[in-house]
Amino acid sequence: MDIALLAHGQFPGRAKTAVGVLRYGDQNVRAVIDRDTAGDRVNDHVAEVQDAPIVESMDDVPAVDALVIGIAPIGGGFVESWRPDVRTAIERGCDVIAGLHTFLADDPEFSTLAEQHDCELRDLRDPPEDLSVADGTAGAVDADVVLTVGTDCSSGKMTASYELRDAARARGIDAAVVPTGQTGVLIEGWGIVVDRVIADFAAGAVERLVETAAEDHDLLIVEGQGALAHPAYSGVTTSILHGARPDRLVLCHVAGRTAVNGYEDTAIPPVAEYASLYESVAAPVADAPVVAGTLNTQSLQPEAADRAVSTYADELGVPATDPVRFGVDDDLLAVVT
Amino acid sequence: MDIALLAHGQFPGRAKTAVGVLRYGDQNVRAVIDRDTAGDRVNDHVAEVQDAPIVESMDDVPAVDALVIGIAPIGGGFVESWRPDVRTAIERGCDVIAGLHTFLADDPEFSTLAEQHDCELRDLRDPPEDLSVADGTAGAVDADVVLTVGTDCSSGKMTASYELRDAARARGIDAAVVPTGQTGVLIEGWGIVVDRVIADFAAGAVERLVETAAEDHDLLIVEGQGALAHPAYSGVTTSILHGARPDRLVLCHVAGRTAVNGYEDTAIPPVAEYASLYESVAAPVADAPVVAGTLNTQSLQPEAADRAVSTYADELGVPATDPVRFGVDDDLLAVVT
């Protein structure tokens, strides 16, 4: 599928979905739309992902099948300055795919236009209708379940999930990512965006995902969401922790980050303490030790990054890596799988 | 308001909403509908609440303004065997009030009938449309915030909230319950049923409730939901813990209960450990020690109940009571307020 990725003003640093698709998706990205970096190319900003031109608006995008909204503001609402690009896409006959809390299909202009131009509006966050409370049965699946958990939002959980999956596959393990967020659902073509589910059913949604994926794979890497000590999203995190009943946890952290992103008066606990907190909360439901760590060292020079990973591993007392920068070695993979 | 309470097959032991309204609501309960105990009276089963006849069906209920669904199965769905009673109520011109996950208003038969008979179908779980993620600001309110937390569902959190409120009011403190569940919302006439909110917005919903109530009262007793180590509902619990940013916690437990209700393979951690778990998870967001405990001793003889409360207090290292059986004394109230 040929797509364009909308990422106005936030590419690449705060365009998690756009970068995730560029790195792990099998879609062919024909353009990124960002008025701030228009004229550059993707690889000018992010190495080792598929390259594409960055353009100013949908008017400058070559023929594509779909426009994908590749960014999400806090709260997940639609941003009105995106409207002309979405309108143009529909008028050109493209589907529009978004993972927002407010649904494109509920927008009167877009739904009318989409009907006129025979386009699909795909809201990835729209949950299945038949969810219910967790039965507490995910621990019985015939697969190993690893959950990536974080010290904050945007701490590398999805990236760690895919890098671990790829490393496991490279060694012959039948591994799959269990997608719980909009980017994962977009990349995998299935899944449930757990943060959009009725709170009472969030653990049940994750349980269903794990039980479904376990039918086809030996190692499941469940993409975590939020963080256990996050002022707004901790409920989603806890639901995933208890719904998935993981065998092992991988703790994801961003080098140098000391406060919760967007909640600067809330300090992130020391990583070893944070790992223990995850284990303690998991314990009544699942015996799930933190067996490895991943560290996003993007902001550091190579030597400092190397030192930061060593320090992080020492603090946690388990193997650690920056999977994008340094890959996943056999020692780390052994403890995870 | 004159009401009837539907509680088929579950009165009183598993009819939490019905008993809550009988004990704390200002509605005039004209009948409880329960085919299993029909012919008895409420006070044959529950002491010290308003009395009413128990009848077999809505046909046997005297004139009332509303039928209230006073029970909720796990999952919160509508039970088809209730249909004749709801139908009769609407045909008699009564409003119907329910706190189910499936909305009465979405039922084609009920909505058509309600329109014909000019009745209101009130779904207490229907959340406000304009919720969003928490800002992390509830800690700044000009009120003391106490949160009741539990070792399980149905462990006495709502009861503790009301008993603590009444004890505080009796001593001249301007205290209010912040309702987060269907029974509390029914009793108070406002609030949000947090477990029905989009998972990402659950903490934000609680934050809004706390900030609203703090405008009018000095002491807020936030009704907790679920339990931190509950296989299905822990996400809701965590959202309330972090959204409310409480100053103090009260831990509610049921004497003798050792496994999670409905999840018998999941043991309830020892109460002291459970209290520490709540404090540890709260800590990054709110410094909220467990300052008191409540114990439901309904299943015990008086002497055993007394001993059980003492043991519970010793294990927690804080004052404890069964507030229904033994009331709330000055020592306990002092640490809570």
Side-chain angles (χ1 to χ4, degrees), chain B residues 83 136 201 241 243 271 273 277 320:
Chain B
R83 186 169 290 274
F201 299 163
L241 185 63
V271 292
E273 200 179 293
L277 193 61

Side-chain angles (χ1 to χ4, degrees), chain B residues 248-304:
Chain B
R248 294 179 282 284
L249 304 175
V250 174
L251 184 67
C252 308
H253 182 56
V254 180
R257 196 182 292 177
T258 55
V260 177
N261 191 8
Y263 300 80
E264 305 304 327
D265 60 342
T266 304
I268 294 175
V271 292
E273 200 179 293
Y274 217 135
S276 297
L277 193 61
Y278 271 111
E279 292 171 346
S280 302
V281 172
V285 174
D287 178 20
V290 172
V291 296
T294 68
L295 189 71
N296 177 339
T297 63
Q298 212 180 339
S299 63
L300 302 179
Q301 296 301 315
E303 209 173 297

Side-chain angles (χ1 to χ4, degrees), chain A residues 225-273:
Chain A
Q225 298 291 336
L228 186 50
H230 192 285
Y233 303 129
S234 55
V236 174
T237 309
T238 310
S239 296
I240 295 176
L241 186 62
H242 286 159
R245 298 201 168 209
D247 300 301
R248 294 178 282 284
L249 304 176
V250 173
L251 184 67
C252 308
H253 182 56
V254 180
R257 196 182 292 178
T258 56
V260 177
N261 191 7
Y263 300 80
E264 305 303 328
D265 60 343
T266 304
I268 295 175
V271 293
E273 200 180 291

Side-chain angles (χ1 to χ4, degrees), chain B:
Chain B
M1 184 165 69
D2 289 346
I3 64 167
L5 284 166
L6 185 146
H8 279 308
Q10 305 200 26
F11 189 81
R14 299 186 53 76
K16 210 166 66 164
T17 297
V19 174
V21 170
L22 285 162
R23 198 184 298 278
Y24 304 111
D26 60 5
Q27 294 90 350
N28 180 21
V29 179
R30 302 295 306 274
V32 168
I33 304 171
D34 174 17
R35 61 178 82 86
D36 290 5
T37 54
D40 299 351
R41 293 189 63 84
V42 165
N43 284 163
D44 296 336
H45 296 271
V46 193
E48 292 177 40
V49 304
Q50 60 171 306
D51 199 18
I54 305 179
V55 300
E56 187 144 347
S57 78
M58 188 67 204
D59 293 320
D60 309 316
V61 172
V64 293
D65 302 306
L67 170 66
V68 174
I69 308 296
I71 48 181
I74 281 195
F78 185 80
V79 175
E80 278 304 318
S81 64
W82 306 341
R83 186 169 290 274
D85 292 311
V86 174
R87 189 187 293 132
T88 303
I90 302 175
E91 286 170 350
R92 286 175 49 180
C94 301
D95 295 342
V96 184
I97 305 175
L100 303 170
H101 272 302
T102 47
F103 295 153
L104 294 172
D106 290 340
D107 184 287
E109 183 188 9
F110 296 153
S111 60
T112 305
L113 268 182
E115 205 169 331
Q116 283 168 9
H117 294 272
D118 198 21
C119 301
E120 195 191 348
L121 303 176
R122 273 189 61 201
D123 290 296
L124 299 170
R125 255 188 171 126
D126 199 7
E129 301 250 316
D130 62 341
L131 293 173
S132 189
V133 299
D135 293 322
T137 48
V141 297
D142 185 23
D144 267 22
V145 179
V146 174
L147 171 64
T148 54
V149 293
T151 58
D152 195 0
C153 291
S154 303
S155 58
K157 296 178 287 289
M158 190 194 67
T159 301
S161 300
Y162 278 101
E163 297 292 339
L164 289 168
R165 180 200 67 175
D166 291 347
R169 283 188 179 170
R171 286 155 180 89
I173 298 168
D174 178 11
V177 169
V178 177
T180 60
Q182 58 266 35
T183 310
V185 171
L186 187 60
I187 294 170
E188 297 298 315
W190 77 289
I192 299 172
V193 183
V194 176
D195 64 15
R196 185 57 167 73
V197 163
I198 288 173
D200 241 5
F201 299 163
V206 178
E207 178 176 278
R208 179 186 299 189
L209 293 176
V210 167
E211 292 180 343
T212 302
E215 290 171 14
D216 297 323
H217 302 282
D218 298 331
L219 174 67
L220 307 183
I221 306 179
V222 181
E223 177 200 5
Q225 298 292 336
L228 186 51
H230 192 285
Y233 304 129
S234 55
V236 174
T237 309
T238 310
S239 296
I240 296 176
L241 185 63
H242 286 159
R245 298 203 170 208
D247 299 301
R248 294 179 282 284
L249 304 175
V250 174
L251 184 67
C252 308
H253 182 56
V254 180
R257 196 182 292 177
T258 55
V260 177
N261 191 8
Y263 300 80
E264 305 304 327
D265 60 342
T266 304
I268 294 175
V271 292
E273 200 179 293
Y274 217 135
S276 297
L277 193 61
Y278 271 111
E279 292 171 346
S280 302
V281 172
V285 174
D287 178 20
V290 172
V291 296
T294 68
L295 189 71
N296 177 339
T297 63
Q298 212 180 339
S299 63
L300 302 179
Q301 296 301 315
E303 209 173 297
D306 201 52
R307 276 200 311 273
V309 168
S310 291
T311 305
Y312 183 58
D314 288 348
E315 285 172 349
L316 289 180
V318 296
T321 187
D322 178 335
V324 172
R325 192 163 203 162
F326 302 121
V328 174
D329 68 17
D330 287 341
D331 286 353
L332 193 141
L333 195 72
V335 296
V336 170
T337 60

Side-chain angles (χ1 to χ4, degrees), chain A:
Chain A
M1 182 165 69
D2 288 346
I3 65 169
L5 284 167
L6 184 146
H8 279 308
Q10 305 199 26
F11 189 81
R14 301 187 52 77
K16 209 164 67 165
T17 297
V19 174
V21 171
L22 285 163
R23 198 184 300 276
Y24 304 111
D26 59 6
Q27 294 89 351
N28 180 21
V29 179
R30 301 295 305 277
V32 167
I33 304 172
D34 174 16
R35 60 179 82 87
D36 289 5
T37 53
D40 298 351
R41 293 189 63 85
V42 165
N43 285 165
D44 296 336
H45 297 271
V46 194
E48 292 177 39
V49 304
Q50 61 172 304
D51 199 17
I54 304 178
V55 301
E56 186 144 348
S57 77
M58 189 66 204
D59 293 320
D60 310 314
V61 172
V64 293
D65 301 305
L67 171 65
V68 173
I69 308 295
I71 49 182
I74 281 194
F78 185 80
V79 175
E80 280 303 318
S81 65
W82 305 341
R83 186 169 289 274
D85 292 310
V86 173
R87 188 188 294 133
T88 302
I90 302 174
E91 287 170 350
R92 286 175 49 179
C94 301
D95 295 341
V96 184
I97 304 174
L100 303 169
H101 272 302
T102 47
F103 295 153
L104 294 172
D106 291 340
D107 184 287
E109 182 188 8
F110 296 153
S111 59
T112 305
L113 267 183
E115 205 169 330
Q116 284 167 8
H117 294 272
D118 197 21
C119 301
E120 194 191 350
L121 303 176
R122 274 188 61 203
D123 289 296
L124 299 171
R125 256 190 170 124
D126 198 7
E129 300 250 316
D130 61 342
L131 293 174
S132 189
V133 299
D135 293 321
T137 48
V141 297
D142 184 23
D144 267 23
V145 179
V146 174
L147 171 64
T148 53
V149 294
T151 58
D152 195 0
C153 291
S154 302
S155 58
K157 296 178 288 290
M158 189 193 68
T159 301
S161 300
Y162 279 101
E163 296 292 339
L164 289 169
R165 180 199 67 175
D166 291 347
R169 283 187 179 171
R171 286 152 179 92
I173 298 169
D174 178 9
V177 169
V178 177
T180 61
Q182 57 266 34
T183 310
V185 171
L186 186 62
I187 294 170
E188 297 297 314
W190 77 290
I192 300 172
V193 182
V194 175
D195 65 16
R196 185 56 167 74
V197 163
I198 288 174
D200 241 5
F201 300 163
V206 178
E207 179 176 278
R208 178 185 299 188
L209 293 176
V210 167
E211 292 180 343
T212 302
E215 290 172 13
D216 297 322
H217 302 282
D218 298 331
L219 174 67
L220 308 184
I221 306 178
V222 181
E223 176 201 3
Q225 298 291 336
L228 186 50
H230 192 285
Y233 303 129
S234 55
V236 174
T237 309
T238 310
S239 296
I240 295 176
L241 186 62
H242 286 159
R245 298 201 168 209
D247 300 301
R248 294 178 282 284
L249 304 176
V250 173
L251 184 67
C252 308
H253 182 56
V254 180
R257 196 182 292 178
T258 56
V260 177
N261 191 7
Y263 300 80
E264 305 303 328
D265 60 343
T266 304
I268 295 175
V271 293
E273 200 180 291
Y274 217 135
S276 297
L277 193 62
Y278 271 111
E279 291 171 347
S280 302
V281 172
V285 174
D287 178 20
V290 172
V291 296
T294 69
L295 189 71
N296 177 339
T297 62
Q298 212 179 340
S299 63
L300 303 178
Q301 296 301 315
E303 210 173 296
D306 201 52
R307 276 200 310 273
V309 169
S310 292
T311 304
Y312 183 58
D314 287 348
E315 285 171 350
L316 289 180
V318 297
T321 187
D322 178 335
V324 172
R325 192 162 201 162
F326 302 121
V328 175
D329 67 19
D330 287 341
D331 286 352
L332 194 141
L333 196 73
V335 295
V336 170
T337 59

